[in-house]
Structures are given as structure tokens and as C-alpha cells.
Amino acid sequence: MASSVKALEPAFQGAGQKLGTEIWRIENFQPVPLPKSEFGKFYSGDSYIVLQTSPGKGGAYLYDIHFWIGKDTSQDEAGTSAIKTVELDAILGGRAVQHRELQGHESDKFLSYFKPCIIPMEGGIASGFKKPEEEEFETRLYVCKGKRVVKLKQVQFSRSSLNHEDVFILDSKEKIYQFNGANSNIQERAKALEVIQYLKEKYHEGNCGVAIVDDGKLQADSDSGEFWVLFGGFAPIGKKVPSEDDIVPEKTAPALYSITDNQVNAVDAELSKSLLENNKCYILDCGAEIFVWIGRVTQIDERKSAIQAAEEFIANQNRPKSTRISRLIQGYETHEFKSNFDSWPSGSVPSGGEEGRGKVAALLKQQGDGVKAANKGVPVNEEVPPLLEEGGKLEVWHINGSAKTPVPKEDIGKFYSGDCYIVLYTYHSHDKKEDFYLCYWIGKDSVEEDQNLAAQLANTMCNSLKNRPVLGRIFQGKEPPQFVAIFQPLILFKGGLSSGYKNYIADKGLNDETYTSDCVALIQISGTSVHKSKAVQVDPVASSLNSNDCFLLQSGSSMFSWQGNQGTFEQQQLVAKVAEILKPGVTLKHTKEGTESSSFWFPLGGKQSYTSKKVSPDTARDPHLFTFSNNRGQCSFAYLFVL
């Protein structure tokens, strides 16, 4: 394997060795690393390869590779990006998930790597297009879509491009205008403001005006007048004309096809994992998305041709361009892929069934993980999992600069998504004098320097305690029950307090969303028990509400509690507790779903529809226990417990 990897593309050597994003542009049919200063700019005449390295369980890395194809890219260059993607995957050990991204039809996952959005540019190097000269500024009109991730598309600079349904950004030399269609979405309006700030800092060096122009408001103000002058004067705009971008592919019943000698043949059988042979490649057609499954013993040439066969399959069936293609290697299938099969074993179950589970529970108790009132025969995945002993000493440190700072007692339990923390819980277990729960928590928006420092300092602390604690790493949104239960409540805020995070958003020209006591904030209270209940800050818009939860709305000095029709009494209690933490002595204004006043809706930008569906929890799987032995087969009495 090593020799074959060396023979692959040298530009990929060293790829995937650190968390984050790496990008290559196809130039003269070869991948060339893109400097970070160019991240986010994608030229329509070029093709790109984007590698996203994310943290996985046990310190392993997870890889997603996207090959982005510009609308003016030649067929040869597009094919090169797909082929080179397979080579990059081989260097990474053949376990990456690969995605095809067409300009204008990018997936939310791809767009989430670039804050606040990607900037589509005309021209390109690989296709022979010329970039605009730096000193020549071209006025551009963009349509801005997306409520969570932004899709920015350049459209013709013409009045006919405007409509009443969308939000537009007009980027001129002296001023950037935001045009809000009369029927446009309030969340898209808010996202457009983030994009404008990004454009102002990155392409105008912060020196240009910003103006908001509302569709249908005819008051004579200078900003409105300047805007319409650029279009040759005011005139009514027409209705939105549906385009190919508005076509949403429908999900159909999955169908399986085998790929043999570049030929695609239907597999006429009930979908089950046993149909997939490890020396073959398959296409799973789900209508809106095409999965290419690669057997683990297939050759690189077969893997390259499988991607091409999938693209030909889409073309032959006249599918829309927005049809997604994802490539998966055997053993690294995603939940989305496996859910299409009627039979997909969750994993091997040890012989002895419940007896094996009982041994795992006994081992956990023996190692001091605080199994509380554990009964014989109770499975590990019981309704209330084993929690740590109550009444222990809880200490939390905040990572800032080059050191850790103790978190004041009144702020313990508050975590910011842009920061990292170290948590030490000292308690007395039944059979030990003293035990420790030590972990470091990584916010989803934290910078790599803080993440590395948190790991280093936590490891040093573990050594100082003579390695008695089991050191854990916890990522935001994946907090285990034991972690959640020791805080009561656990509150997750947006933004960050560390200097690393502050410098990062300043360099990127991003808005600081860090929670403050006087901002407009919406906090979701979910869960029904001490080991599940969390308070999480969400976007302050009405569409963030959910009938199954309770919410806390902060607007200046006012605090509202909102009770969903399916919310629980426990959630209401937690709402009051969180409100007292954020604003001691505050008088809560209680609101039930369906009885809201205008003063409640106003801070959220007006009333909008929201979901009443429960958010599905992560799919659980049986735990696995492994023993380690030496090369003579003798047991070393070391155990690895994997959840």
C-alpha cells in the first residue's frame, strides 16, 4: 500500500494531518494547493478539490472530500477533479466520503465550511479565462438564499433580475446595497447582512457605505434613489421566473445497480447489506441523491471509473444538475446510506447477549465510573444511564491565550461555542476514597490553537493526578449524560470569550455573536431529565421554535418564557432556573404556544412558521468491549470500552 501511495499525486502528500479545510485548484490538469487567503473564492471556469478533516471518536480523523465543478469548467478538467479526488482518498487510507458539488447546487455541508458564504467569481485559470484586473471594480448583483447556510449566486446586473421573493446584494464601488423583496424571508435578510459585512471588509477594505432598500416602500430617501439610479431609474419589477435552481429533486424508492466493466446493471432483489460484494462497486439511486458504494478490495482504477459511471447514469436519465453524488467506501457508510436498506446489521453481538452486557456494567462500576444503585441484569443502555456520584467538587478552567483560567463559581455551567474548557469533577465513589472525572470540552467554533492547548493542559493535569482519571475529549453537541448531569443546568451560548476566537473573527471580518446580558437571545430548553436537559442558544428567529420544547427569549431587560404545546413541566422548571442565572431577580413573562403577544414576536422579527416535529436523537449502538493481549496470546488485563 505504501508504494502505491507514493506513486500518487505529490501535491496531496501530508494532506489530512490536521483539523480544518484544505483546498486544491485544478491547473493544467494538476491539483495546486490554494492559499488560505483565497479560501471562499471559486471561479466558474475552474474545478477544485476541498478536503475537510473533522475529529472522530478515539482521536481518529474523519474525512469529507468535495470536488467542486464550476459552470464553465471543461469536461476534461471536471473529470480530472473527480479522478484526483480518488487519489487523495487513497492517500488518506481509503475511508473518506466523497461528494460532487456543482456550482449553484452546493450541499449545505460544503457551504458550512465557508463563513459566511462562498463568493462565486467569473473567469478562471484552468479554463483559459482571464481574471478581472485588480484596479477595475465591476459592479455585481447577487441573489442571496439560505436560512442556515448562505447560497450566493451572481445574476445579471439588470432590473429584470430583481423580484419580490428574494434578497439581493448589489456590490458597487462606493456602496453595497441590500434589496429586500417584499415577500423575502427574514432569516435570509439577516444572513445577507453578514455577507455584506464580509464583502465590505474583504473587497472594500472596510471603506464603503451600506444601505438597505425595501421593496414596495416608496418613501424618497437618498439610498433608495441611488439604488434605482444604478438600474436606470425606478420602475416596477416583475414576478419571479422559476429557473432550474428552483427545482427540488424528489426522493424516490431506492434502487440498486452494480457496476461491471463500466456497465450499470439493475440488481433485482430486496435491499440488504448482503447484496454488496467487497470486490465490486454499486450505485444506489435515491432520486435526489446518488450513492456510489465502493468495495474495500477494489482497485483504484475501478474506483475512478465508478464515479464516471455515476455521472453518465445521471446524464442518461436526464436528471437535474442538482442531483447529488456521494461516494462511500465499504465499512465507512453513512447513516443516510444505510437507512435505505431493509437489512443492515448494527454490528456483531457477543455470544452470551445480556451476560456480556452485565460484564461491561460490572467493569464500569469497578473502574469507578459511579454506577449508582446498579442492579444485576440491568443493561448498560437503560433509560437512565450510570451517573457520577452527587456532591462532588466541580472545577472548570477556560482556555485563553497560552494558559487556563479558573471559571468563577457563578459562571460554571456556561459554555461558549467559540471556546474550549477543562472540567475536573472530584467525588467519592462507593469502593474508592476519591475518584476523578476529567475531560476537556471543545466548542464547535473554537480555534485549533485553543483545542490543542486544551488537550495539552488536560493531559498535564491527568499526569499530576498520577493518571488516576480517565481523560476524555468532549465535542459540543455530543455531551455524554455524565457530563450533562454534573452541571444542572448546562447552558451553551454562541460566540466566545477567548482571545484566539476574538482574533479569528476579527481577521475573517465576521460579526461577533457572543452572548451578552443585553442582547436579543433565544435559548432552547430540551430534554426531560437531569442527564439530558440542556439550554442551547439558537438563532433569534421565530422559525427556531419547536412545539416539543420550551424557550427563553431575552430582549434587553425583558425575559419571556415560551411553552410549546408538547413541552414538559421539567422544561418549564429549567426555563425558570436558566432565567434566574442569566438575570437574577427577573420577572418572567409566561407565554403558551398560540397565545403570544406582539411584544413576544417583535424581537424575533415577526411571527413565522416553525416545526412541531421531534428532533431525532443520534442513533445508538451497542457498546463493544475489547481485551488486549501480547503476541503469545497472553491477556494483558487491559480493556478498551467503545460506545
Side-chain angles (χ1 to χ4, degrees):
M1 179 68 183
S3 60
S4 62
V5 169
K6 289 180 181 178
L8 297 176
E9 181 54 55
F12 295 143
Q13 297 298 329
Q17 299 301 307
K18 59 182 180 180
L19 299 174
T21 308
E22 298 172 76
I23 305 178
W24 296 263
R25 176 165 50 196
I26 303 300
E27 299 181 14
N28 297 321
F29 305 106
Q30 295 297 324
V32 177
L34 201 67
K36 285 194 174 182
S37 60
E38 293 294 304
F39 280 20
K41 284 199 284 189
F42 289 84
Y43 287 89
S44 63
D46 289 333
S47 294
Y48 298 78
I49 296 174
V50 177
L51 169 64
Q52 183 70 16
T53 305
S54 307
K57 293 183 179 179
Y61 285 162
L62 302 177
Y63 300 112
D64 285 277
I65 307 175
H66 306 254
F67 55 102
W68 186 91
I69 301 172
K71 63 182 178 63
D72 299 317
T73 303
S74 71
Q75 191 66 35
D76 289 341
E77 288 164 356
T80 298
S81 67
I83 290 172
K84 293 297 181 181
T85 294
V86 176
E87 295 185 9
L88 174 58
D89 180 37
I91 289 178
L92 298 173
R95 62 181 188 271
V97 179
Q98 298 177 25
H99 316 267
R100 184 186 69 156
E101 308 284 351
L102 298 183
Q103 181 177 356
H105 305 283
E106 295 88 355
S107 65
D108 287 355
K109 187 180 188 72
F110 176 81
L111 294 173
S112 68
Y113 307 150
F114 306 95
K115 301 295 183 183
C117 63
I118 67 172
I119 305 297
M121 309 286 287
E122 295 296 325
I125 292 178
S127 302
F129 287 79
K130 294 182 178 179
K131 291 184 184 179
E133 295 297 328
E134 294 294 333
E135 63 273 10
E136 294 181 2
F137 188 91
E138 177 186 352
T139 299
R140 294 186 174 93
L141 181 64
Y142 301 96
V143 61
C144 187
K145 297 184 178 182
K147 300 174 184 178
R148 293 188 177 180
V149 293
V150 178
K151 294 186 178 181
L152 196 68
K153 179 182 179 182
Q154 186 176 353
V155 294
Q156 183 181 1
F157 177 28
S158 168
R159 183 188 290 106
S160 61
S161 297
L162 302 174
N163 61 62
H164 302 293
E165 312 299 325
D166 295 321
V167 179
F168 294 84
I169 294 174
L170 180 62
D171 187 7
S172 69
K173 187 174 184 179
E174 303 298 332
K175 188 177 287 188
I176 305 176
Y177 301 85
Q178 176 174 327
F179 177 81
N180 297 325
N183 302 322
S184 60
N185 183 281
I186 190 171
Q187 289 174 284
E188 292 182 337
R189 296 183 185 187
K191 288 294 183 181
L193 285 173
E194 296 180 19
V195 175
I196 287 176
Q197 184 63 31
Y198 176 73
L199 294 174
K200 178 180 178 180
E201 298 297 330
K202 191 169 183 67
Y203 299 108
H204 296 265
E205 299 180 350
N207 298 319
C208 74
V210 174
I212 307 296
V213 178
D214 288 318
D215 176 22
K217 294 185 178 180
L218 302 178
Q219 65 268 26
D221 64 83
S222 58
D223 290 334
S224 242
E226 291 172 358
F227 175 80
W228 289 113
V229 164
L230 293 173
F231 288 92
F234 175 78
I237 58 176
K239 294 182 178 180
K240 182 177 180 179
V241 178
S243 65
E244 185 179 335
D245 294 346
D246 300 310
I247 299 176
V248 179
E250 296 182 1
K251 185 172 182 179
T252 60
L256 188 65
Y257 300 83
S258 64
I259 304 174
T260 306
D261 297 330
N262 295 327
Q263 297 297 316
V264 177
N265 302 302
V267 177
D268 188 15
E270 182 179 343
L271 292 185
S272 68
K273 183 181 179 181
S274 60
L275 295 174
L276 305 174
E277 301 179 32
N278 63 4
N279 62 342
K280 291 184 178 180
C281 300
Y282 295 84
I283 289 176
L284 181 66
D285 179 14
C286 298
E289 183 169 12
I290 300 292
F291 293 96
V292 180
W293 185 90
I294 307 293
R296 65 174 178 266
V297 298
T298 53
Q299 300 300 313
I300 288 183
D301 288 342
E302 294 177 90
R303 301 180 182 191
K304 291 178 180 178
S305 61
I307 289 289
Q308 294 173 336
E311 294 186 355
E312 292 175 2
F313 178 81
I314 289 177
N316 293 337
Q317 296 204 1
N318 295 318
R319 296 288 180 85
K321 290 182 178 179
S322 53
T323 304
R324 295 177 55 199
I325 298 179
S326 297
R327 173 195 168 279
L328 310 160
I329 194 72
Q330 182 181 3
Y332 295 91
E333 298 88 352
T334 62
H335 172 71
E336 290 79 9
F337 176 83
K338 293 188 287 188
S339 65
N340 292 288
F341 289 78
D342 296 327
S343 173
W344 192 285
S346 59
S348 56
V349 179
S351 58
E354 293 302 317
E355 180 184 358
R357 293 187 181 186
K359 290 180 180 178
V360 171
L363 177 64
L364 287 175
K365 183 174 182 180
Q366 179 185 348
Q367 292 181 341
D369 274 13
V371 180
K372 213 175 176 184
N375 298 319
K376 292 182 180 181
V378 177
V380 173
N381 59 344
E382 58 184 329
E383 179 63 23
V384 179
L387 303 179
L388 302 175
E389 296 294 331
E390 297 179 0
K393 179 183 178 182
L394 179 60
E395 299 172 274
V396 182
W397 292 266
H398 174 242
I399 302 301
N400 190 18
S402 58
K404 67 181 193 297
T405 305
V407 174
K409 185 177 180 180
E410 63 270 21
D411 289 330
I412 287 180
K414 301 177 183 177
F415 290 78
Y416 289 82
S417 65
D419 294 341
C420 296
Y421 299 81
I422 297 175
V423 176
L424 176 63
Y425 185 65
T426 306
Y427 62 99
H428 294 274
S429 59
H430 290 298
D431 51 358
K432 288 188 178 181
K433 182 179 180 181
E434 191 176 53
D435 213 336
F436 305 96
Y437 178 81
L438 177 63
C439 60
Y440 58 100
W441 183 91
I442 296 178
K444 63 182 180 63
D445 300 319
S446 60
V447 297
E448 185 177 353
E449 291 78 9
D450 287 351
Q451 296 175 13
N452 293 336
L453 183 60
Q456 177 184 342
L457 294 178
N459 188 61
T460 300
M461 188 179 296
C462 185
N463 292 336
S464 69
L465 295 170
K466 300 180 180 180
N467 290 313
R468 289 177 62 189
V470 176
L471 179 59
R473 178 177 63 175
I474 297 175
F475 291 93
Q476 182 177 351
K478 302 293 183 182
E479 293 85 3
Q482 292 82 359
F483 183 89
V484 175
I486 62 177
F487 290 99
Q488 303 181 43
L490 176 64
I491 311 175
L492 307 181
F493 292 117
K494 288 189 174 186
L497 304 176
S498 75
S499 57
Y501 173 79
K502 297 289 187 184
N503 293 335
Y504 173 79
I505 63 172
D507 292 342
K508 293 289 186 179
L510 303 176
N511 293 328
D512 190 352
E513 296 184 320
T514 303
Y515 171 84
T516 60
S517 60
D518 58 352
C519 69
V520 175
L522 184 63
I523 298 174
Q524 182 176 18
I525 311 295
S526 59
T528 57
S529 58
V530 67
H531 63 285
K532 292 182 179 179
S533 297
K534 289 189 290 186
V536 182
Q537 186 180 1
V538 296
D539 291 337
V541 291
S543 58
S544 295
L545 299 174
N546 188 309
S547 300
N548 295 280
D549 298 324
C550 291
F551 289 77
L552 185 65
L553 173 61
Q554 170 184 301
S555 178
S557 59
S558 299
M559 296 283 278
F560 297 85
S561 72
W562 185 87
Q563 178 186 348
N565 289 334
Q566 306 301 320
T568 65
F569 176 71
E570 291 83 359
Q571 291 171 352
Q572 296 176 47
Q573 289 181 311
L574 189 54
V575 164
K577 193 171 185 177
V578 173
E580 183 62 26
I581 291 173
L582 301 185
K583 286 187 178 293
V586 69
T587 300
L588 267 178
K589 300 177 182 179
H590 296 281
T591 302
K592 289 186 177 181
E593 182 178 1
T595 65
E596 303 88 349
S597 65
S598 59
S599 58
F600 174 84
W601 292 120
F602 180 78
L604 299 177
K607 186 176 181 179
Q608 296 181 56
S609 60
Y610 51 85
T611 186
S612 59
K613 296 181 179 178
K614 282 191 175 182
V615 178
S616 301
D618 291 339
T619 303
R621 59 173 247 184
D622 289 339
H624 300 278
L625 180 65
F626 301 85
T627 61
F628 295 88
S629 59
N630 59 21
N631 57 6
R632 296 182 181 179
Q634 296 173 332
C635 181
S636 62
F637 298 101
Y639 295 87
L640 175 64
F641 180 67
V642 181
L643 291 174

